[in-house]
Amino acid sequence: MKMPIIFSGHGSPMIALENNEITQTMKAVGDSIDKPKAILAISAHWFTDQTYIQSAPTPKQIYDMYGFPKELYEVKYPVSGYAPLTESVQSLLESSVSINDTWGIDHGTWTVLVHMFPDDDIPVVQLSVNRHLDPQQSYELGQKLASLREQGYLIFGSGNVVHNLGRVEWDNSDGTEMTHRFNDAITQSIVSHDHASVIHYDTYPDAAYAVPTPDHFLPLLYCLGAAGNDKVKVFNNVCNLGSMAMTGYVFG
């Protein structure tokens, strides 16, 4: 059985507490796929100087956000690690990946998975986003991970197509014209399997506004690389806070 790949926007960490159309759609996405043996999570919030993989039997939950209500820090998503998945990633990436258990399961991962897989009974292993890989190299690393899908593992990327914290409009429930233009252009390229254009996202109008830093965009390229030419389903094609896109994709 070949598992699909999921990329999801995560936006504000408060989404972990929300019950709305976005979170209900996340749950529907989780319900629509067969239960994986484990999840390889690629979160924008583990943005590192190398490529790291976790090996902890019980990775800690990371509350890597500040200034939010107490209730958010009380959300629990306890998961186990999964040594066979860690070992498979090591086999595929060889010397380019190292074990690192100083991190854990961060809010880029658990704020979405708490809706997609609320029973928290699927092991999760995080793979870091290597800040020194350019978009093409990030895509190629994803290609190396593709065979994990045939081993029963779900590859899950979490970030945002548009993510500009410096231009957030907290009272805006929609996106700016620049956010919509960039999100629509990227989504159209993904649906039409024009991966080369997504890799060269910096050539799109509004790219400097939409992706001022690469951390939230690169997980999408990891997912695209692993997806190949699989069919694409778009979900939560929503923009909010002015400069955020919550758009997600299911490949396969």
Side-chain angles (χ1 to χ4, degrees):
M1 179 181 64
K2 184 178 179 181
M3 293 300 300
I5 296 170
I6 299 172
F7 173 84
S8 178
H10 61 253
S12 167
M14 290 298 290
I15 198 168
L17 297 171
E18 294 171 354
N19 180 14
N20 55 31
E21 187 173 352
I22 289 175
T23 61
Q24 291 164 13
T25 300
M26 289 175 174
K27 183 179 186 305
V29 168
D31 289 343
S32 71
I33 68 173
D34 293 324
K35 185 176 180 179
K37 289 195 297 187
I39 296 170
L40 180 69
I42 305 167
S43 167
H45 291 278
W46 199 22
F47 193 54
T48 58
D49 59 349
Q50 298 181 42
T51 299
Y52 294 122
I53 188 70
Q54 296 174 345
S55 67
T58 308
K60 57 190 174 183
Q61 184 173 351
I62 303 290
Y63 297 89
D64 55 321
M65 64 280 182
Y66 308 96
F68 290 92
K70 181 182 69 171
E71 290 79 9
L72 183 59
Y73 303 93
E74 295 173 346
V75 174
K76 303 299 180 185
Y77 195 76
V79 293
S80 63
Y82 197 70
L85 174 53
T86 299
E87 293 163 3
S88 290
V89 172
Q90 288 180 292
S91 177
L92 292 171
L93 300 186
E94 299 179 321
S95 61
S96 65
V97 67
S98 303
I99 296 290
N100 186 326
D101 290 321
T102 61
W103 195 239
I105 307 303
D106 62 54
H107 85 266
T109 296
W110 61 259
T111 61
V112 179
L113 295 188
V114 73
H115 297 292
M116 286 189 177
F117 306 108
D119 294 335
D120 57 53
D121 60 346
I122 303 171
V124 179
V125 176
Q126 280 204 190
L127 178 74
S128 74
V129 178
N130 187 337
R131 69 173 72 241
H132 296 301
L133 298 184
D134 63 27
Q136 180 67 45
Q137 292 168 325
S138 300
Y139 180 86
E140 290 170 357
L141 190 149
Q143 290 178 311
K144 295 178 181 178
L145 299 172
S147 63
L148 294 173
R149 304 170 63 190
E150 296 171 356
Q151 300 175 43
Y153 299 125
L154 174 69
I155 297 174
F156 166 73
S158 178
N160 295 92
V161 173
V162 179
H163 183 272
N164 189 334
L165 283 180
R167 301 289 293 274
V168 162
E169 302 171 5
W170 293 105
D171 58 348
N172 188 349
S173 61
D174 198 354
T176 64
E177 290 185 8
M178 292 181 288
T179 295
H180 279 287
R181 278 198 303 262
F182 187 85
N183 180 66
D184 290 347
I186 290 292
T187 296
Q188 179 55 46
S189 292
I190 289 173
V191 169
S192 61
H193 296 97
D194 181 8
H195 292 187
S197 291
V198 183
I199 291 168
H200 297 288
Y201 68 88
D202 58 339
T203 65
Y204 286 79
D206 309 307
Y209 169 89
V211 190
T213 59
D215 47 336
H216 279 69
F217 195 85
L218 291 180
L220 174 58
L221 293 178
Y222 283 59
C223 291
L224 278 183
N229 289 320
D230 280 3
K231 64 181 181 180
V232 186
K233 178 181 178 181
V234 182
F235 68 95
N236 283 339
N237 193 358
V238 175
C239 300
N240 57 26
L241 300 179
S243 58
M244 295 282 177
M246 293 299 295
T247 312
Y249 313 95
V250 180
F251 303 93

